[in-house]
């Protein structure tokens, strides 16, 4: 593969692996717990953190970390502890975060460099520093998941029963939203805040169709994500298209194909068993 | 810390006829509308209490209050002589089966072992696995243990939920509409299972199906915003009619199965 001789391609492949470690774990819980749009809300609200970074003259990724965690807790708090519905909470924080980002950038003198890459991402321009941040955030996500795997599984399946059984449900719910926030930060530079939920949810949604076990789903989503991300990257290189958007298109196509494959498989199985029944 | 607390509860010696749940002057309002009013009831050790009443009468709300999923607007609930958070470790709770997603990737075994949850950082032990297997066997679904929960019939799923409630060896079993998905032929064996369990634990079950009050039940209460306790079945029928606002004849089924006396007897 002649494209691997370039340093930036090597970085891109490492990035593909690092982001999908986070996405495989967090995406599995996001999809099974049905908090896809909470994740969408968090990722958009994170734009406020990006703006704050520009305003303070810091690396926007660093300021995005506390900001997106705060947004995640905000959505969680409004949804759980007030009478405002979850969807309303998402909408409100989504918009406030974006607006704050725009205002911060307005207030920043001069031109905001590579703002576009935060919106739409670019896997080819990930600097080494960001790889380090990704490794650290990945490690946090992996350790937290190992420690609280059984609780995350329990609250994703049945929050009410978990509460009665003694699981500290609210605490773990916020911890899970915190992990979503960290994944969002990991993904921002790669696909941009607008497309974050795609990478978080599509690999998990594909794999969910083929397994009845959360642990299997996590590892399957990781590997599916890595393969599809690298395929998307390769196609974007050949066709000279925007990498983030191409990766998402590949993911989307893979989801449609996997759905059709599963449907076809089930129909054949049904047809065969009905034929046997008639014999 | 948590382990010490739960041990303390388990060491309580039970006297016969000991009260395990005491509800005093309980009120519950939902957005200002009274759902439960002035509820006073006790559940005894080894009790077998059926709570009947029309839909919307507050039956599910009452159970949710007992396990702490809802907070009372007024009044006191005492579980095993202590607060709900402490006492509910000894409760097995079976909600109506609509609280989760049937597409969730999880097997029957993994659902039931959740009933043995002990705390964060505590792994499920060999004993937990063994108890889970025993429980699955008790409710007669051991051969389904690796099945995905989406591939079960309504009756089988009901058994999974009962097994999950039973897995922790509770001293009180709370069942919310356990008979709603069980067909009439299975009802007999279901009640026999409950009678068997009743030797080890108190059972409270709620139903809007009045026919479910079988000969096995020890006590009956009617709930329609207010609670009318009948004690051992042959209670005052005037109260029953008051709760239902309908003639009692409807409640009592055919003579061979009659549990409640004829109206005006």
């Amino acid at each position: 593969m002649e494209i691997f001789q370039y340093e930036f391609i090597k970085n891109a492949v490492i990035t593909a692996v690092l982001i999908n470690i986070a996405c495989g774990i967090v995406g599995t819980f996001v999809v099974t717990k049905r908090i896809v749009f909470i994740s969408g809300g968090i990722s958009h609200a994170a734009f406020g953190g990006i703006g704050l970074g520009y305003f303070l003259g810091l690396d926007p990724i660093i300021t995005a970390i506390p900001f997106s965690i705060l947004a995640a807790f905000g959505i969680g708090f409004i949804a759980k502890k007030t009478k405002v519905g979850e969807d309303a909470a998402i909408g409100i924080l989504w918009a406030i975060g974006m607006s704050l980002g725009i205002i911060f950038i307005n207030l920043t003198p001069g031109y905001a460099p590579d703002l576009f890459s935060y919106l739409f991402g670019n896997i080819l321009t990930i600097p080494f520093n960001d790889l380090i941040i990704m490794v650290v955030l990945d490690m946090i996500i992996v350790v937290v998941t190992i420690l609280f795997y059984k609780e995350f599984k329990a609250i994703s399946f049945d929050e009410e029963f978990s509460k009665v059984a003694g699981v500290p449900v609210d605490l773990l719910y916020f911890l899970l939203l915190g992990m979503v926030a960290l994944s969002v930060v990991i993904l921002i530079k790669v696909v941009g805040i607008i497309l974050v939920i795609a990478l978080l949810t599509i690999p998990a949604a594909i794999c969910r169709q083929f397994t009845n076990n959360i642990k299997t789903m996590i590892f399957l989503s990781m590997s599916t994500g890595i393969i599809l991300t690298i395929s998307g990257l390769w196609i974007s290189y050949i066709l000279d298209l925007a990498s983030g958007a191409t990766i998402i298109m590949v993911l989307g196509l893979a989801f449609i194909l996997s759905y059709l494959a599963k449907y076809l498989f089930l129909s054949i199985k049904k047809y065969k068993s009905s034929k046997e029944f008639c014999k | 810390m948590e382990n010490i607390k739960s041990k303390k509860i388990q060491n309580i010696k039970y006297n016969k006829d000991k009260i395990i749940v005491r509800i005093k002057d309980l009120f519950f309002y939902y957005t200002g509308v009274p759902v439960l009013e002035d509820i006073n009831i006790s559940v005894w050790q080894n009790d077998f209490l059926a709570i009947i009443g029309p839909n919307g009468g507050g039956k599910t709300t009452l159970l949710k209050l007992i396990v702490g999923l809802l907070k009372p607007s007024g009044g006191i609930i005492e579980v095993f002589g202590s607060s709900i958070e402490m006492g509910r470790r000894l409760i097995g709770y079976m909600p109506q089966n609509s609280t989760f997603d049937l597409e969730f990737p999880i097997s029957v075994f993994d659902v039931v072992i959740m009933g043995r949850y002990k705390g964060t950082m505590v792994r499920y032990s060999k004993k937990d696995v063994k108890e889970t297997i025993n429980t699955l066997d008790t409710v007669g679904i051991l051969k389904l243990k690796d099945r995905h929960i989406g591939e079960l019939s309504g009756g089988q799923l009901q058994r999974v939920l009962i097994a999950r409630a039973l897995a922790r060896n509770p001293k009180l079993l709370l069942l919310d509409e356990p008979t709603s998905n069980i067909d009439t032929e299975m009802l007999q064996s279901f009640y026999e299972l409950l009678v068997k369990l009743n030797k080890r634990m108190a059972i409270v079950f709620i139903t809007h199906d009045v026919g479910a009050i079988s000969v096995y039940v020890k006590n009956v209460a009617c709930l329609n915003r207010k609670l009318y306790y009948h004690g051992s079945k042959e209670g005052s029928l005037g109260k029953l009619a008051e709760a239902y606002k309908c003639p009692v004849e409807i409640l009592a089924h055919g003579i061979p199965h009659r549990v409640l006396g004829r109206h005006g007897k």
Side-chain angles (χ1 to χ4, degrees), chain A residues 48-64 104-105 107-114 118:
Chain A
I50 305 284
L52 186 66
Y54 279 114
F55 181 67
L56 297 176
L58 297 168
D59 182 354
I61 281 295
I62 299 292
T63 46
F104 280 134
I105 289 169
L107 292 174
T108 310
Y111 169 72
D114 49 70
Y118 290 105

Side-chain angles (χ1 to χ4, degrees), chain B residues 9-225:
Chain B
I9 288 179
Q10 249 140 18
N11 284 339
I12 295 169
K13 292 257 186 320
Y14 297 107
N15 312 317
K16 240 189 174 173
D17 298 332
K18 186 180 155 42
I19 291 173
I20 55 175
V21 176
R22 193 195 305 268
I23 297 176
K24 261 195 89 178
D25 309 327
L26 178 72
F27 282 80
F28 184 76
Y29 296 92
Y30 184 74
T31 58
V33 181
V35 180
L36 295 172
E37 279 184 322
D38 199 20
I39 308 289
N40 283 286
I41 190 172
S42 297
V43 179
W44 305 83
Q45 191 182 1
N46 295 330
D47 207 340
F48 195 156
L49 171 69
I51 300 175
I52 60 171
N55 280 331
K59 304 187 299 296
T60 298
T61 305
L62 182 60
L63 282 207
K64 285 191 174 178
L65 283 161
I66 295 174
V67 293
L69 287 172
L70 295 171
K71 296 267 168 278
S73 310
I76 297 166
I77 302 175
E78 211 179 75
V79 184
F80 292 100
S82 65
S83 70
I84 288 170
E85 282 70 27
M86 297 276 290
R88 71 180 169 199
R89 290 158 198 273
L90 298 177
I91 296 180
Y93 169 62
M94 192 204 89
Q96 276 170 295
N97 64 6
S98 50
T99 56
F100 56 78
D101 175 12
L102 282 175
E103 294 288 308
F104 195 92
I106 193 166
S107 68
V108 168
F109 180 86
D110 281 358
V111 172
V112 175
I113 203 166
M114 279 179 191
R116 295 206 49 92
Y117 181 83
K118 287 200 195 64
T120 49
M121 314 280 186
V122 186
R123 282 177 168 270
Y124 293 123
S125 63
K126 272 187 186 142
K127 194 188 166 211
D128 291 328
V129 172
K130 216 181 104 194
E131 288 288 331
T132 304
I133 297 279
N134 286 346
T135 311
L136 285 166
D137 200 24
T138 307
V139 301
I141 50 167
L142 184 56
K143 61 178 191 302
L144 300 175
K145 77 178 171 64
D146 297 319
R147 191 80 74 84
H148 176 239
I149 49 148
E151 299 162 359
L152 301 174
S153 70
Q156 288 167 336
L157 189 64
Q158 204 90 24
R159 276 160 192 269
V160 172
L161 296 181
I162 292 170
R164 182 176 68 169
L166 277 177
R168 56 175 48 212
N169 281 325
K171 292 281 171 231
L172 169 63
L173 189 59
L174 298 179
L175 306 170
D176 193 345
E177 304 271 359
T179 51
S180 59
N181 273 315
I182 293 178
D183 40 43
T184 3
E185 302 97 86
M186 296 297 291
L187 219 49
Q188 175 95 12
S189 69
F190 174 72
Y191 279 117
E192 274 160 17
L193 172 67
L194 290 190
V195 168
K196 212 169 80 189
L197 293 170
N198 190 217
K199 288 179 184 134
R200 290 193 273 141
M201 62 192 76
I203 296 175
V204 175
F205 80 101
I206 63 179
T207 177
H208 67 260
D209 168 22
V210 184
I213 308 171
S214 72
V215 286
Y216 307 114
V217 176
K218 288 175 186 161
N219 293 307
V220 179
C222 293
L223 183 63
N224 190 7
R225 208 176 73 221

Side-chain angles (χ1 to χ4, degrees), chain A residues 120-124 190-191 232-233 236-237 241-248:
Chain A
F120 300 103
N122 190 349
I123 195 171
L124 296 171
V190 183
V191 285
L233 177 64
S236 78
Y237 174 83
L241 294 169
S243 63
T246 312
I247 291 168
I248 304 302

Side-chain angles (χ1 to χ4, degrees), chain A residues 14-15 17-19 21-22 128-142 186:
Chain A
I14 295 170
T15 306
V17 174
L18 291 177
I19 55 172
I21 290 174
F128 185 72
N129 277 352
D130 285 11
L131 288 185
I132 306 269
I133 294 175
M134 284 183 192
V135 171
V136 172
L137 297 184
D138 264 347
M139 269 162 38
I140 295 173
I141 289 173
V142 169
I186 291 176

Side-chain angles (χ1 to χ4, degrees), chain A residues 61-207:
Chain A
I61 281 295
I62 299 292
T63 46
I65 295 175
F67 206 91
S68 57
I69 290 177
L70 224 61
F73 290 174
I75 291 176
F77 181 81
I78 297 174
K80 286 258 160 178
K81 300 287 173 194
T82 69
K83 293 222 150 94
V84 182
E86 195 176 88
D87 53 346
I90 293 166
I92 292 164
L93 271 128
W94 181 310
I96 289 178
M98 291 288 293
S99 315
L100 268 177
I102 293 165
I103 288 173
F104 280 134
I105 289 169
N106 271 171
L107 292 174
T108 310
Y111 169 72
D114 49 70
L115 180 64
F116 202 72
S117 82
Y118 290 105
L119 288 173
F120 300 103
N122 190 349
I123 195 171
L124 296 171
T125 58
I126 307 289
F128 185 72
N129 277 352
D130 285 11
L131 288 185
I132 306 269
I133 294 175
M134 284 183 192
V135 171
V136 172
L137 297 184
D138 264 347
M139 269 162 38
I140 295 173
I141 289 173
V142 169
V143 170
V144 169
T145 308
I146 290 171
L147 290 178
F148 299 109
Y149 172 72
K150 114 177 150 307
E151 283 82 7
F152 285 137
K153 187 166 143 185
I155 66 163
S156 301
F157 176 59
D158 190 340
E159 220 171 84
E160 257 191 13
F161 184 84
S162 304
K163 196 172 175 190
V164 176
V167 180
V169 170
D170 287 349
L171 203 72
L172 280 146
Y173 179 70
F174 282 101
L175 198 58
L176 184 59
L177 291 187
M179 295 218 299
V180 172
L182 294 186
S183 319
V184 165
V185 173
I186 291 176
L187 290 170
I188 282 179
K189 277 275 184 101
V190 183
V191 285
I193 52 173
I194 295 169
L195 300 177
V196 159
I197 44 171
L199 253 175
L200 206 53
T201 56
I202 295 176
I206 291 173
C207 298

Side-chain angles (χ1 to χ4, degrees), chain B residues 233-249:
Chain B
K233 291 161 275 180
E234 208 89 51
S236 55
L237 291 165
K239 280 188 189 172
L240 204 60
E242 198 185 322
Y244 263 94
K245 309 218 183 322
C246 65
V248 183
E249 252 74 18

